[in-house]
Amino acid sequence: MKKPDFSNLKAIYINCTLKKSPQKSHTSTLIQVSKEIMGKENVSVEEIRLIDHDVATGVYPDMTEHGWENDEWPALFEKIMDADILVVGTPIWLGEKSSICQKLIERLYAMSGKTNEKGQYVFYGKVGGSIITGNEDGVKHCAMGILYSLQHVGYSIPPQADCGWIGEVGPGPSYGDTEWKGEKKQPPVGFDSSFTNRNTTFMTYNLLHLANTIKQQKGYSNYGNSREKWDDGSRWEFENPEYRKKK
């Protein structure tokens, strides 16, 4: 089989850790596994730690127009829109995605009413996935919420679009730790998890395959899904049942 060429793709990873740089982020450690695969496939990759940026809370495109003094979101949104793939990374806290991750989702939602050149919602044609780390159950629960939110605003979600690692229930070492309570860990915690390594690899390539396919076909046809055309009166094959009864 001929090896696919992914070199025309761009991916952005947004790490929703609660730790500001340069503190170690265990989520970033797992993100790095996926990033390295993409790098070897000649994909342009960038990672952003959202907490390092002055992003306002809210559901409007620019919160400086709604009482906030500063808001870096509009500039970050340009980076997100420049990428074909968005991967959301988050730790698990109390069984849920982080508060920073929820802020990201709300700000993505704020942009979802914008449209592209086809009159479709602006995230149509872009691909999304998630990376989760933690020391308690919740990988699938967090991924469900993140991937639902991404597809709701317009992202396309491939098969196996999530990966993660969790340790034992309760306090313990986190992904990538090399020491815990004075005990050296070699290899680093989680690095030898076949389940995590496999799912991270499959997720990464599935994101690449779907993004590549969509890009080659120049996005989705706007037949039946253009907000602009709907507002102009197009209804394609839709017919209101109540109207049909009156005919």
Side-chain angles (χ1 to χ4, degrees):
M1 179 180 177
K2 184 179 178 180
K3 183 178 179 179
D5 179 8
F6 300 121
S7 60
N8 65 332
L9 297 177
K10 293 182 180 180
I12 188 165
Y13 292 75
I14 300 187
N15 181 3
C16 298
T17 177
L18 301 183
K19 300 172 182 173
K20 279 183 168 288
S21 298
Q23 297 180 70
K24 179 179 179 179
S25 163
H26 299 97
T27 303
S28 183
T29 304
L30 184 52
I31 285 174
Q32 186 63 31
V33 176
S34 178
K35 282 173 57 181
E36 286 186 4
I37 294 172
M38 289 205 183
K40 291 175 182 177
E41 292 290 355
N42 300 311
V43 177
S44 176
V45 177
E46 181 175 5
E47 180 180 347
I48 291 173
R49 195 179 290 203
L50 195 65
I51 201 169
D52 288 343
H53 298 271
D54 191 0
V55 175
T57 300
V59 289
Y60 295 100
D62 185 348
M63 293 305 298
T64 62
E65 299 174 358
H66 298 271
W68 289 76
E69 183 176 350
N70 300 304
D71 188 8
E72 288 188 47
W73 175 251
L76 292 176
F77 175 66
E78 289 184 14
K79 290 177 174 287
I80 292 170
M81 287 305 300
D82 192 45
D84 305 291
I85 299 168
L86 168 64
V87 183
V88 177
T90 182
I92 301 169
W93 291 109
L94 297 173
E96 296 285 352
K97 57 187 175 290
S98 73
S99 56
I100 297 297
C101 187
Q102 184 62 31
K103 175 185 279 190
L104 170 64
I105 289 169
E106 289 167 352
R107 296 312 302 271
L108 289 170
Y109 182 63
M111 318 307 283
S112 62
K114 294 180 176 292
T115 54
N116 62 22
E117 66 280 359
K118 296 181 181 180
Q120 302 162 319
Y121 292 119
V122 73
F123 296 121
Y124 274 41
K126 298 188 179 297
V127 175
S130 67
I131 292 177
I132 319 290
T133 64
N135 286 88
E136 53 188 285
D137 193 15
V139 170
K140 290 182 174 62
H141 173 74
C142 292
M144 280 193 298
I146 292 168
L147 296 178
Y148 166 78
S149 298
L150 291 180
Q151 67 80 32
H152 183 75
V153 300
Y155 275 87
S156 297
I157 309 299
Q160 184 56 66
D162 65 292
C163 66
W165 181 90
I166 51 171
E168 296 179 0
V169 175
S174 297
Y175 185 83
D177 279 347
T178 56
E179 184 176 340
W180 174 252
K181 291 186 175 180
E183 180 183 349
K184 298 293 183 182
K185 299 291 183 179
Q186 193 56 241
V189 174
F191 280 29
D192 58 353
S193 169
S194 176
F195 185 80
T196 295
N197 292 336
R198 184 191 69 208
N199 282 2
T200 303
T201 302
F202 284 14
M203 177 205 72
T204 304
Y205 277 105
N206 287 341
L207 292 170
L208 292 174
H209 284 303
L210 183 55
N212 200 36
T213 298
I214 293 175
K215 193 159 191 172
Q216 286 178 359
Q217 67 184 30
K218 295 179 171 49
Y220 289 99
S221 166
N222 65 351
Y223 181 80
N225 61 26
S226 170
R227 173 62 187 269
E228 184 178 284
K229 290 183 179 297
W230 178 274
D231 289 346
D232 287 342
S234 294
R235 293 297 183 266
W236 304 283
E237 294 301 322
F238 168 80
E239 185 179 13
N240 189 306
E242 292 301 316
Y243 176 75
R244 187 167 59 244
K245 289 178 184 178
K246 297 174 183 177
K247 292 176 66 175

